[in-house]
Amino acid sequence: MAVLVEDVTAWGVAGIVYAPDPVKPVPSTAEQFTLVAYDDPRLPWTLACREVVALHGCTVVDLAYLPEQIAA
């Protein structure tokens, strides 16, 4: 199985958010990383580990029939 995606939009980052004064990690309720959008004021204080993207218009396809589905 695979997924065809019509639109991929960069949303933000996943990482560790720091407080500016004193500089130290901000406790998070998440297990590992905090999701921070690109328009979030915490972004400059985030040590990013991963980029987060939004997928729109997703269609699950069977790879065995992909050539037939693309031609249709």
Side-chain angles (χ1 to χ4, degrees):
M1 297 303 258
V3 177
L4 295 176
V5 180
E6 290 181 18
D7 181 52
V8 178
T9 305
W11 180 85
V13 298
I16 300 170
V17 178
Y18 284 80
D21 188 27
V23 177
K24 64 178 185 175
V26 175
S28 172
T29 57
E31 280 187 28
Q32 291 183 332
F33 301 116
T34 302
L35 300 179
V36 180
Y38 283 128
D39 60 356
D40 191 311
R42 300 175 298 163
L43 186 63
W45 292 99
T46 303
L47 178 59
C49 175
R50 298 184 178 113
E51 182 178 23
V52 178
V53 297
L55 305 177
H56 302 280
C58 299
T59 305
V60 177
V61 294
D62 187 340
L63 291 176
Y65 301 105
L66 187 58
E68 295 172 14
Q69 292 176 348
I70 292 175

